[in-house]
Amino acid sequence: MKKKRRWLSVAILAVLVVCVAIAALRKSPVTEEGTPEGLFAAKDTLYFWYTDEALTDYLTNVSASYYEETGYHIVPVLQTGLEYLEEINDASVRQEEDGQPMPDLYIINNDSLEKAYLAGLAAEVKDKNGFCTTQNYPQTALDAVSYNGKCVAYPFYFETSAFLYNKTYMDETELTIPNSIDDILTFADEYDAPEQVEAVFKWDVSDIFYNYYFTGNYMIVGGPAGDDPAQVDIDNDNTRRCLKVYQDLNQFFSIDTKEVTYDSVIQDFLDGKIVMTVATSDVLARLEAAKAAGEFDYEYGLTKMPDLSESLKGRSLSVTNGVVINGYSEKSEIANDFAKYLVYDHADSLYEGAGKIPSRSGVDHELEGIRAFEEEYAQSIPMPKMLGTSNFWVQLEICYAKIWQGEDIDVHMKQLDTQIHDQLGGE
């Protein structure tokens, strides 16, 4: 109850701060530097850009709390996300010309960090408190926000996939939760499915994010941090073996890539038509909402993704959203301090406030299912950040789709490997 009262007071303060901000920006006289005098003078105000509207209330509350403790104003600014880095660059350049507010810090996916850093839009972070270590974050998070050995963002929150299953169905059998694709096939052979069950295992085979774990442990694209063009090994014996397992699944679970969608799969799971699937963390809110509305009559379970077999391991893909300090900002000291306040000090309220799972380790969550995503994230592979691999995901998705339909694995993997090497070599 105390926590709720605290957040209520902060929310009220946030509204007042925003109102004062608007009034200040509209009515305050403009100085020669092009910024309003008074309460929101440039030296006291930082602008924080982001693109996910789900973060709005949370960022407003945290910013108000930060002002209450430090006296510095953080103004969250929601952007459309279209040409996001280009807009940041334009605003940063215009800052020198007309004095209009630019982002002092902003949120971005880790796969865009090379582009941001090379453009001078991502400064090396000043981790004065030394909290960005493996004691507080999984190595995955630290790799995701690193570029050429430098930490160029603070890990904020992440997305990855986990194995979702109908716990009610599982409890009704003597079969155990599968630990591998081989186990899933054995389960499918032995399971006496209820009448409403249409598929034992079904997932969105049209989206590479849910497919990548088949080859993620053996497909090297830029090394651990995804930033080294010398470390690229896409076509190898193990990736081909993994893709053969993937291709063979179409014989057991005939899934039409042109008809299946992630949304349709999750709806089938809610309707009790599927026993097992692959899901991202957004599924938690959807499951809990369905249970509360009486639209989901089962218990569910989440665990890490299964391996392919005893000899072939799986590894999921992950995306880390980081807080970046703009290299053009003259207020980097305050920006770094607020970034730490946001991603570390307030990580325990991020899921409750915005529905995002923080990258920080050791956060207590009431919702048990979050643990599965944290465990998967810790062993996942971050999206590469090299400019030369910007179209890799589109090409890989096409490759997977053709292999799923039975086309030659060797031919398509060789073509993909050659194309990516050419792109990186040309770069």
Side-chain angles (χ1 to χ4, degrees):
M1 184 63 69
K2 289 182 179 179
K3 185 175 181 181
K4 291 183 178 179
R5 287 200 296 267
R6 164 71 174 169
W7 275 98
L8 180 60
S9 65
V10 169
I12 294 173
L13 177 62
V15 174
L16 294 175
V17 167
V18 171
C19 291
V20 173
I22 294 172
L25 290 171
R26 288 179 176 176
K27 298 180 180 180
S28 295
V30 177
T31 66
E32 293 181 359
E33 290 76 19
T35 54
E37 294 177 345
L39 179 62
F40 273 67
K43 64 183 179 66
D44 295 327
T45 305
L46 283 78
Y47 293 88
F48 183 22
W49 284 19
Y50 65 104
T51 60
D52 191 337
E53 190 174 1
L55 292 166
T56 297
D57 291 343
Y58 180 75
L59 293 179
T60 301
N61 283 325
V62 174
S63 298
S65 178
Y66 186 73
Y67 167 72
E68 186 179 25
E69 293 186 22
T70 68
Y72 286 102
H73 300 274
I74 308 296
V75 181
V77 181
L78 178 64
Q79 298 292 328
T80 62
L82 300 174
E83 305 297 331
Y84 184 47
L85 265 181
E86 286 73 11
E87 290 293 332
I88 292 172
N89 184 70
D90 290 346
S92 300
V93 172
R94 288 199 312 268
Q95 177 77 6
E96 298 180 355
E97 299 174 354
D98 55 26
Q100 295 304 309
M102 69 168 185
D104 296 283
L105 63 169
Y106 56 93
I107 298 173
I108 200 168
N109 291 350
N110 69 283
D111 61 320
S112 297
L113 284 177
E114 179 179 83
K115 185 177 182 180
Y117 182 80
L118 295 178
L121 300 173
E124 184 175 359
V125 304
K126 299 176 182 178
D127 182 15
K128 293 183 178 180
N129 301 103
F131 70 92
C132 286
T133 66
T134 52
Q135 182 177 354
N136 299 311
Y137 293 92
Q139 188 62 50
T140 299
L142 301 179
D143 287 340
V145 297
S146 296
Y147 179 70
N148 282 354
K150 299 177 181 179
C151 184
V152 295
Y154 292 98
F156 189 16
Y157 60 92
F158 70 87
E159 186 59 274
T160 192
S161 53
F163 190 65
L164 173 65
Y165 60 93
N166 188 309
K167 189 174 184 300
T168 301
Y169 289 158
M170 295 296 295
D171 289 345
E172 292 172 352
T173 75
E174 296 181 355
L175 303 173
T176 59
I177 300 169
N179 292 316
S180 68
I181 297 297
D182 285 347
D183 290 344
I184 292 176
L185 296 177
T186 299
F187 183 97
D189 285 339
E190 299 179 0
Y191 183 52
D192 185 13
E195 183 178 351
Q196 67 270 23
V197 172
E198 297 178 357
V200 169
F201 184 39
K202 186 178 182 180
W203 74 102
D204 183 2
V205 295
S206 66
D207 193 325
I208 193 61
F209 200 83
Y210 306 103
N211 280 331
Y212 192 76
Y213 85 98
F214 280 95
T215 56
N217 197 50
Y218 308 102
M219 188 176 287
I220 302 171
V221 188
D227 61 354
D228 186 356
Q231 297 189 56
V232 176
D233 185 12
I234 295 172
D235 182 23
N236 55 64
D237 289 341
N238 280 326
T239 56
R240 294 186 184 196
R241 290 172 62 200
C242 290
L243 285 170
K244 185 63 171 66
V245 173
Y246 172 77
Q247 187 178 65
D248 288 346
L249 286 177
N250 198 10
Q251 300 176 20
F252 296 93
F253 310 108
S254 298
I255 306 171
D256 191 337
T257 57
K258 296 180 180 180
E259 294 183 2
V260 68
T261 65
Y262 178 70
D263 185 71
S264 69
V265 168
I266 298 304
Q267 187 57 55
D268 283 348
F269 184 85
L270 290 171
D271 294 338
K273 298 178 181 179
I274 299 174
V275 182
M276 311 166 195
T277 189
V278 182
T280 37
S281 65
D282 56 285
V283 77
L284 290 166
R286 187 167 175 180
L287 288 166
E288 292 300 312
K291 287 179 65 176
E295 298 172 354
F296 182 54
D297 300 326
Y298 310 92
E299 295 297 320
Y300 68 89
L302 280 156
T303 187
K304 66 182 185 67
M305 291 296 297
D307 290 322
L308 280 67
S309 64
E310 289 187 5
S311 60
L312 293 174
K313 305 301 179 183
R315 193 178 186 188
S316 293
L317 185 67
S318 65
V319 177
T320 299
N321 287 266
V323 176
V324 177
I325 309 302
N326 191 342
Y328 284 84
S329 175
E330 296 179 354
K331 309 165 191 173
S332 63
E333 184 174 350
I334 304 169
N336 276 275
D337 184 69
F338 175 73
K340 186 258 183 181
Y341 185 82
L342 175 67
V343 307
Y344 183 79
D345 297 345
H346 283 267
D348 60 345
S349 57
L350 178 58
Y351 187 79
E352 180 184 356
K356 311 292 185 183
I357 305 178
S359 297
R360 180 187 165 188
S361 305
V363 176
D364 291 329
H365 296 289
E366 293 183 7
L367 201 56
E368 185 178 349
I370 291 177
R371 296 300 177 201
F373 290 102
E374 290 180 324
E375 291 175 6
E376 192 69 27
Y377 178 55
Q379 66 180 25
S380 68
I381 184 73
M383 288 187 73
K385 52 182 69 76
M386 297 177 293
L387 291 172
T389 57
S390 59
N391 69 336
F392 174 65
W393 306 108
V394 175
Q395 298 302 319
L396 185 60
E397 193 166 275
I398 294 171
C399 181
Y400 262 82
K402 291 179 178 179
I403 290 172
W404 180 257
Q405 296 300 331
E407 295 190 23
D408 193 288
I409 295 172
D410 294 351
V411 170
H412 289 296
M413 290 304 294
K414 184 177 181 179
Q415 289 176 348
L416 179 64
D417 189 273
T418 300
Q419 178 180 353
I420 299 302
H421 272 97
D422 287 347
Q423 290 175 191
L424 292 172
E427 185 183 35

